[in-house]
mmCIF file of all heavy atoms in Angstrom:
data_model
loop_
_atom_site.group_PDB
_atom_site.id
_atom_site.type_symbol
_atom_site.label_atom_id
_atom_site.label_comp_id
_atom_site.label_asym_id
_atom_site.label_seq_id
_atom_site.Cartn_x
_atom_site.Cartn_y
_atom_site.Cartn_z
ATOM 1 N N GLY A 1 16.564 169.138 -26.312
ATOM 2 C CA GLY A 1 15.568 170.195 -26.589
ATOM 3 C C GLY A 1 15.573 171.286 -25.542
ATOM 4 O O GLY A 1 16.185 171.153 -24.452
ATOM 5 N N SER A 2 14.855 172.353 -25.809
ATOM 6 C CA SER A 2 14.668 173.446 -24.872
ATOM 7 C C SER A 2 13.211 173.511 -24.500
ATOM 8 O O SER A 2 12.355 172.870 -25.141
ATOM 9 C CB SER A 2 15.096 174.789 -25.503
ATOM 10 O OG SER A 2 16.488 174.745 -25.898
ATOM 11 N N VAL A 3 12.899 174.299 -23.456
ATOM 12 C CA VAL A 3 11.539 174.352 -22.947
ATOM 13 C C VAL A 3 11.078 175.820 -22.894
ATOM 14 O O VAL A 3 11.824 176.694 -22.447
ATOM 15 C CB VAL A 3 11.426 173.727 -21.534
ATOM 16 C CG1 VAL A 3 10.023 173.870 -20.967
ATOM 17 C CG2 VAL A 3 11.843 172.275 -21.590
ATOM 18 N N ALA A 4 9.866 176.060 -23.364
ATOM 19 C CA ALA A 4 9.254 177.383 -23.290
ATOM 20 C C ALA A 4 8.084 177.358 -22.333
ATOM 21 O O ALA A 4 7.195 176.495 -22.441
ATOM 22 C CB ALA A 4 8.752 177.835 -24.670
ATOM 23 N N ALA A 5 8.064 178.251 -21.323
ATOM 24 C CA ALA A 5 6.920 178.426 -20.466
ATOM 25 C C ALA A 5 5.960 179.368 -21.139
ATOM 26 O O ALA A 5 6.344 180.479 -21.509
ATOM 27 C CB ALA A 5 7.339 178.980 -19.101
ATOM 28 N N VAL A 6 4.706 178.903 -21.338
ATOM 29 C CA VAL A 6 3.714 179.686 -22.078
ATOM 30 C C VAL A 6 2.534 180.021 -21.190
ATOM 31 O O VAL A 6 1.990 179.119 -20.550
ATOM 32 C CB VAL A 6 3.225 178.922 -23.320
ATOM 33 C CG1 VAL A 6 2.291 179.813 -24.152
ATOM 34 C CG2 VAL A 6 4.407 178.469 -24.184
ATOM 35 N N PHE A 7 2.188 181.279 -21.112
ATOM 36 C CA PHE A 7 1.065 181.709 -20.310
ATOM 37 C C PHE A 7 -0.214 181.647 -21.166
ATOM 38 O O PHE A 7 -0.140 181.592 -22.405
ATOM 39 C CB PHE A 7 1.340 183.116 -19.762
ATOM 40 C CG PHE A 7 2.538 183.155 -18.883
ATOM 41 C CD1 PHE A 7 3.824 183.350 -19.420
ATOM 42 C CD2 PHE A 7 2.420 182.940 -17.519
ATOM 43 C CE1 PHE A 7 4.935 183.359 -18.597
ATOM 44 C CE2 PHE A 7 3.546 182.934 -16.686
ATOM 45 C CZ PHE A 7 4.826 183.167 -17.238
ATOM 46 N N PRO A 8 -1.402 181.670 -20.551
ATOM 47 C CA PRO A 8 -2.655 181.488 -21.312
ATOM 48 C C PRO A 8 -2.845 182.592 -22.336
ATOM 49 O O PRO A 8 -2.403 183.726 -22.133
ATOM 50 C CB PRO A 8 -3.731 181.554 -20.206
ATOM 51 C CG PRO A 8 -2.997 181.270 -18.922
ATOM 52 C CD PRO A 8 -1.625 181.845 -19.112
ATOM 53 N N ILE A 9 -3.586 182.337 -23.437
ATOM 54 C CA ILE A 9 -4.351 181.135 -23.659
ATOM 55 C C ILE A 9 -3.981 180.513 -25.025
ATOM 56 O O ILE A 9 -3.714 179.359 -25.159
ATOM 57 C CB ILE A 9 -5.864 181.453 -23.632
ATOM 58 C CG1 ILE A 9 -6.257 182.006 -22.242
ATOM 59 C CG2 ILE A 9 -6.724 180.266 -23.965
ATOM 60 C CD1 ILE A 9 -7.643 182.599 -22.219
ATOM 61 N N HIS A 10 -3.998 181.368 -26.096
ATOM 62 C CA HIS A 10 -3.809 180.887 -27.450
ATOM 63 C C HIS A 10 -2.396 181.252 -27.920
ATOM 64 O O HIS A 10 -1.954 182.393 -27.744
ATOM 65 C CB HIS A 10 -4.819 181.489 -28.388
ATOM 66 C CG HIS A 10 -6.233 181.227 -27.969
ATOM 67 N ND1 HIS A 10 -6.858 180.014 -28.153
ATOM 68 C CD2 HIS A 10 -7.172 182.054 -27.394
ATOM 69 C CE1 HIS A 10 -8.103 180.093 -27.710
ATOM 70 N NE2 HIS A 10 -8.308 181.323 -27.228
ATOM 71 N N TYR A 11 -1.715 180.254 -28.540
ATOM 72 C CA TYR A 11 -0.346 180.513 -28.995
ATOM 73 C C TYR A 11 -0.002 179.443 -30.052
ATOM 74 O O TYR A 11 -0.668 178.433 -30.177
ATOM 75 C CB TYR A 11 0.618 180.425 -27.803
ATOM 76 C CG TYR A 11 0.695 179.068 -27.156
ATOM 77 C CD1 TYR A 11 1.666 178.138 -27.491
ATOM 78 C CD2 TYR A 11 -0.281 178.668 -26.229
ATOM 79 C CE1 TYR A 11 1.745 176.888 -26.935
ATOM 80 C CE2 TYR A 11 -0.221 177.397 -25.637
ATOM 81 C CZ TYR A 11 0.769 176.547 -25.999
ATOM 82 O OH TYR A 11 0.797 175.284 -25.452
ATOM 83 N N PRO A 12 1.073 179.635 -30.791
ATOM 84 C CA PRO A 12 1.440 178.721 -31.869
ATOM 85 C C PRO A 12 2.354 177.598 -31.405
ATOM 86 O O PRO A 12 3.573 177.701 -31.483
ATOM 87 C CB PRO A 12 2.133 179.644 -32.876
ATOM 88 C CG PRO A 12 2.816 180.676 -32.027
ATOM 89 C CD PRO A 12 1.921 180.878 -30.811
ATOM 90 N N ARG A 13 1.780 176.525 -30.925
ATOM 91 C CA ARG A 13 2.608 175.369 -30.486
ATOM 92 C C ARG A 13 3.607 174.921 -31.558
ATOM 93 O O ARG A 13 4.778 174.737 -31.280
ATOM 94 C CB ARG A 13 1.705 174.197 -30.107
ATOM 95 C CG ARG A 13 0.981 174.315 -28.783
ATOM 96 C CD ARG A 13 0.312 172.954 -28.497
ATOM 97 N NE ARG A 13 -0.457 172.968 -27.275
ATOM 98 C CZ ARG A 13 -1.786 173.006 -27.215
ATOM 99 N NH1 ARG A 13 -2.462 173.139 -28.338
ATOM 100 N NH2 ARG A 13 -2.414 172.966 -26.064
ATOM 101 N N PRO A 14 3.145 174.701 -32.800
ATOM 102 C CA PRO A 14 4.110 174.151 -33.792
ATOM 103 C C PRO A 14 5.251 175.086 -34.131
ATOM 104 O O PRO A 14 6.330 174.611 -34.477
ATOM 105 C CB PRO A 14 3.216 173.883 -35.030
ATOM 106 C CG PRO A 14 1.990 174.681 -34.822
ATOM 107 C CD PRO A 14 1.780 174.790 -33.360
ATOM 108 N N LEU A 15 5.050 176.369 -33.998
ATOM 109 C CA LEU A 15 6.149 177.305 -34.244
ATOM 110 C C LEU A 15 7.256 177.142 -33.213
ATOM 111 O O LEU A 15 8.438 177.101 -33.552
ATOM 112 C CB LEU A 15 5.631 178.737 -34.245
ATOM 113 C CG LEU A 15 6.663 179.852 -34.523
ATOM 114 C CD1 LEU A 15 7.340 179.646 -35.886
ATOM 115 C CD2 LEU A 15 5.984 181.225 -34.487
ATOM 116 N N LEU A 16 6.883 176.960 -31.987
ATOM 117 C CA LEU A 16 7.859 176.728 -30.943
ATOM 118 C C LEU A 16 8.563 175.399 -31.142
ATOM 119 O O LEU A 16 9.808 175.307 -31.009
ATOM 120 C CB LEU A 16 7.182 176.766 -29.557
ATOM 121 C CG LEU A 16 6.647 178.123 -29.113
ATOM 122 C CD1 LEU A 16 5.789 178.001 -27.866
ATOM 123 C CD2 LEU A 16 7.790 179.109 -28.842
ATOM 124 N N ARG A 17 7.800 174.349 -31.465
ATOM 125 C CA ARG A 17 8.440 173.058 -31.691
ATOM 126 C C ARG A 17 9.390 173.061 -32.852
ATOM 127 O O ARG A 17 10.436 172.360 -32.835
ATOM 128 C CB ARG A 17 7.345 171.994 -31.916
ATOM 129 C CG ARG A 17 6.602 171.553 -30.675
ATOM 130 C CD ARG A 17 7.438 170.872 -29.618
ATOM 131 N NE ARG A 17 8.148 169.733 -30.091
ATOM 132 C CZ ARG A 17 7.691 168.503 -30.212
ATOM 133 N NH1 ARG A 17 6.402 168.254 -29.913
ATOM 134 N NH2 ARG A 17 8.440 167.501 -30.602
ATOM 135 N N ALA A 18 9.107 173.857 -33.888
ATOM 136 C CA ALA A 18 9.996 173.903 -35.044
ATOM 137 C C ALA A 18 11.367 174.443 -34.658
ATOM 138 O O ALA A 18 12.379 174.097 -35.303
ATOM 139 C CB ALA A 18 9.356 174.754 -36.150
ATOM 140 N N PHE A 19 11.408 175.241 -33.618
ATOM 141 C CA PHE A 19 12.679 175.780 -33.136
ATOM 142 C C PHE A 19 13.273 174.958 -31.979
ATOM 143 O O PHE A 19 14.253 175.362 -31.375
ATOM 144 C CB PHE A 19 12.485 177.231 -32.670
ATOM 145 C CG PHE A 19 12.459 178.233 -33.798
ATOM 146 C CD1 PHE A 19 11.253 178.641 -34.354
ATOM 147 C CD2 PHE A 19 13.634 178.751 -34.300
ATOM 148 C CE1 PHE A 19 11.223 179.541 -35.391
ATOM 149 C CE2 PHE A 19 13.618 179.670 -35.343
ATOM 150 C CZ PHE A 19 12.416 180.071 -35.883
ATOM 151 N N GLY A 20 12.663 173.826 -31.692
ATOM 152 C CA GLY A 20 13.218 172.921 -30.667
ATOM 153 C C GLY A 20 12.726 173.248 -29.271
ATOM 154 O O GLY A 20 13.262 172.659 -28.318
ATOM 155 N N PHE A 21 11.696 174.082 -29.128
ATOM 156 C CA PHE A 21 11.161 174.401 -27.814
ATOM 157 C C PHE A 21 9.906 173.608 -27.537
ATOM 158 O O PHE A 21 8.970 173.619 -28.341
ATOM 159 C CB PHE A 21 10.808 175.903 -27.711
ATOM 160 C CG PHE A 21 11.984 176.828 -27.642
ATOM 161 C CD1 PHE A 21 12.441 177.440 -28.826
ATOM 162 C CD2 PHE A 21 12.622 177.082 -26.436
ATOM 163 C CE1 PHE A 21 13.543 178.276 -28.791
ATOM 164 C CE2 PHE A 21 13.718 177.942 -26.416
ATOM 165 C CZ PHE A 21 14.166 178.544 -27.558
ATOM 166 N N LEU A 22 9.885 172.903 -26.405
ATOM 167 C CA LEU A 22 8.626 172.260 -25.959
ATOM 168 C C LEU A 22 7.803 173.255 -25.198
ATOM 169 O O LEU A 22 8.226 173.763 -24.157
ATOM 170 C CB LEU A 22 8.961 171.055 -25.051
ATOM 171 C CG LEU A 22 7.746 170.397 -24.385
ATOM 172 C CD1 LEU A 22 6.919 169.688 -25.436
ATOM 173 C CD2 LEU A 22 8.216 169.441 -23.285
ATOM 174 N N PRO A 23 6.589 173.581 -25.636
ATOM 175 C CA PRO A 23 5.753 174.508 -24.911
ATOM 176 C C PRO A 23 5.123 173.818 -23.673
ATOM 177 O O PRO A 23 4.527 172.750 -23.793
ATOM 178 C CB PRO A 23 4.656 174.942 -25.912
ATOM 179 C CG PRO A 23 4.638 173.839 -26.930
ATOM 180 C CD PRO A 23 6.006 173.218 -26.934
ATOM 181 N N VAL A 24 5.291 174.435 -22.532
ATOM 182 C CA VAL A 24 4.705 173.952 -21.273
ATOM 183 C C VAL A 24 3.898 175.096 -20.689
ATOM 184 O O VAL A 24 4.448 176.165 -20.408
ATOM 185 C CB VAL A 24 5.776 173.450 -20.301
ATOM 186 C CG1 VAL A 24 5.155 173.065 -18.982
ATOM 187 C CG2 VAL A 24 6.540 172.280 -20.893
ATOM 188 N N GLU A 25 2.618 174.893 -20.510
ATOM 189 C CA GLU A 25 1.723 175.975 -20.109
ATOM 190 C C GLU A 25 1.750 176.271 -18.623
ATOM 191 O O GLU A 25 1.913 175.336 -17.806
ATOM 192 C CB GLU A 25 0.295 175.690 -20.587
ATOM 193 C CG GLU A 25 0.215 175.562 -22.107
ATOM 194 C CD GLU A 25 -1.170 175.181 -22.579
ATOM 195 O OE1 GLU A 25 -2.141 175.329 -21.817
ATOM 196 O OE2 GLU A 25 -1.247 174.755 -23.753
ATOM 197 N N VAL A 26 1.556 177.535 -18.272
ATOM 198 C CA VAL A 26 1.561 177.965 -16.873
ATOM 199 C C VAL A 26 0.196 178.589 -16.594
ATOM 200 O O VAL A 26 -0.060 179.735 -16.965
ATOM 201 C CB VAL A 26 2.687 179.000 -16.620
ATOM 202 C CG1 VAL A 26 2.718 179.418 -15.181
ATOM 203 C CG2 VAL A 26 4.060 178.418 -17.030
ATOM 204 N N TRP A 27 -0.654 177.847 -15.904
ATOM 205 C CA TRP A 27 -1.976 178.335 -15.521
ATOM 206 C C TRP A 27 -1.982 178.656 -14.029
ATOM 207 O O TRP A 27 -2.690 178.070 -13.225
ATOM 208 C CB TRP A 27 -3.037 177.299 -15.845
ATOM 209 C CG TRP A 27 -3.278 177.104 -17.291
ATOM 210 C CD1 TRP A 27 -2.548 176.300 -18.129
ATOM 211 C CD2 TRP A 27 -4.271 177.742 -18.090
ATOM 212 N NE1 TRP A 27 -3.039 176.393 -19.429
ATOM 213 C CE2 TRP A 27 -4.088 177.260 -19.428
ATOM 214 C CE3 TRP A 27 -5.298 178.640 -17.852
ATOM 215 C CZ2 TRP A 27 -4.904 177.675 -20.475
ATOM 216 C CZ3 TRP A 27 -6.094 179.054 -18.875
ATOM 217 C CH2 TRP A 27 -5.880 178.588 -20.167
ATOM 218 N N GLY A 28 -1.200 179.603 -13.675
ATOM 219 C CA GLY A 28 -1.094 179.971 -12.252
ATOM 220 C C GLY A 28 0.342 179.866 -11.757
ATOM 221 O O GLY A 28 1.084 180.820 -11.787
ATOM 222 N N PRO A 29 0.724 178.631 -11.320
ATOM 223 C CA PRO A 29 -0.138 177.494 -10.988
ATOM 224 C C PRO A 29 -0.801 177.655 -9.635
ATOM 225 O O PRO A 29 -0.427 178.541 -8.865
ATOM 226 C CB PRO A 29 0.900 176.332 -10.982
ATOM 227 C CG PRO A 29 2.163 176.981 -10.544
ATOM 228 C CD PRO A 29 2.144 178.373 -11.108
ATOM 229 N N PRO A 30 -1.794 176.820 -9.306
ATOM 230 C CA PRO A 30 -2.590 177.035 -8.103
ATOM 231 C C PRO A 30 -1.784 177.107 -6.807
ATOM 232 O O PRO A 30 -2.102 177.885 -5.930
ATOM 233 C CB PRO A 30 -3.540 175.834 -8.105
ATOM 234 C CG PRO A 30 -3.649 175.441 -9.534
ATOM 235 C CD PRO A 30 -2.301 175.708 -10.114
ATOM 236 N N ARG A 31 -0.754 176.270 -6.679
ATOM 237 C CA ARG A 31 -0.035 176.204 -5.388
ATOM 238 C C ARG A 31 1.114 177.182 -5.302
ATOM 239 O O ARG A 31 1.917 177.144 -4.367
ATOM 240 C CB ARG A 31 0.465 174.766 -5.179
ATOM 241 C CG ARG A 31 -0.647 173.755 -4.986
ATOM 242 C CD ARG A 31 -1.476 174.132 -3.791
ATOM 243 N NE ARG A 31 -2.717 173.353 -3.703
ATOM 244 C CZ ARG A 31 -3.743 173.669 -2.929
ATOM 245 N NH1 ARG A 31 -3.695 174.726 -2.180
ATOM 246 N NH2 ARG A 31 -4.803 172.896 -2.926
ATOM 247 N N ALA A 32 1.258 178.094 -6.256
ATOM 248 C CA ALA A 32 2.382 178.999 -6.229
ATOM 249 C C ALA A 32 2.221 180.039 -5.114
ATOM 250 O O ALA A 32 3.223 180.504 -4.524
ATOM 251 C CB ALA A 32 2.504 179.740 -7.564
ATOM 252 N N GLY A 33 0.986 180.409 -4.794
ATOM 253 C CA GLY A 33 0.785 181.497 -3.825
ATOM 254 C C GLY A 33 1.088 182.824 -4.467
ATOM 255 O O GLY A 33 1.865 182.918 -5.432
ATOM 256 N N GLY A 34 0.448 183.892 -4.026
ATOM 257 C CA GLY A 34 0.557 185.147 -4.721
ATOM 258 C C GLY A 34 1.414 186.204 -4.088
ATOM 259 O O GLY A 34 1.401 187.352 -4.510
ATOM 260 N N ASN A 35 2.168 185.850 -3.030
ATOM 261 C CA ASN A 35 2.848 186.892 -2.277
ATOM 262 C C ASN A 35 3.857 187.706 -3.121
ATOM 263 O O ASN A 35 3.843 188.929 -3.073
ATOM 264 C CB ASN A 35 3.585 186.274 -1.055
ATOM 265 C CG ASN A 35 2.586 185.708 -0.053
ATOM 266 O OD1 ASN A 35 1.453 186.152 -0.022
ATOM 267 N ND2 ASN A 35 3.031 184.761 0.744
ATOM 268 N N TRP A 36 4.721 187.013 -3.855
ATOM 269 C CA TRP A 36 5.729 187.742 -4.644
ATOM 270 C C TRP A 36 5.039 188.529 -5.752
ATOM 271 O O TRP A 36 5.391 189.663 -6.056
ATOM 272 C CB TRP A 36 6.736 186.755 -5.224
ATOM 273 C CG TRP A 36 7.996 187.422 -5.701
ATOM 274 C CD1 TRP A 36 9.098 187.741 -4.960
ATOM 275 C CD2 TRP A 36 8.257 187.834 -7.060
ATOM 276 N NE1 TRP A 36 10.041 188.300 -5.769
ATOM 277 C CE2 TRP A 36 9.588 188.383 -7.052
ATOM 278 C CE3 TRP A 36 7.557 187.767 -8.242
ATOM 279 C CZ2 TRP A 36 10.172 188.879 -8.201
ATOM 280 C CZ3 TRP A 36 8.159 188.267 -9.413
ATOM 281 C CH2 TRP A 36 9.452 188.804 -9.367
ATOM 282 N N GLY A 37 4.031 187.910 -6.349
ATOM 283 C CA GLY A 37 3.314 188.606 -7.421
ATOM 284 C C GLY A 37 2.566 189.828 -6.923
ATOM 285 O O GLY A 37 2.427 190.822 -7.680
#
């Protein structure tokens, strides 16, 4: 399978899965730090 990084908040999980993408959500993440951003 393939992996899709999904940012918040609402999105079609089953549409991604139908194409073989596992949706994995990105809520930050907290420990990333903001310097590059």
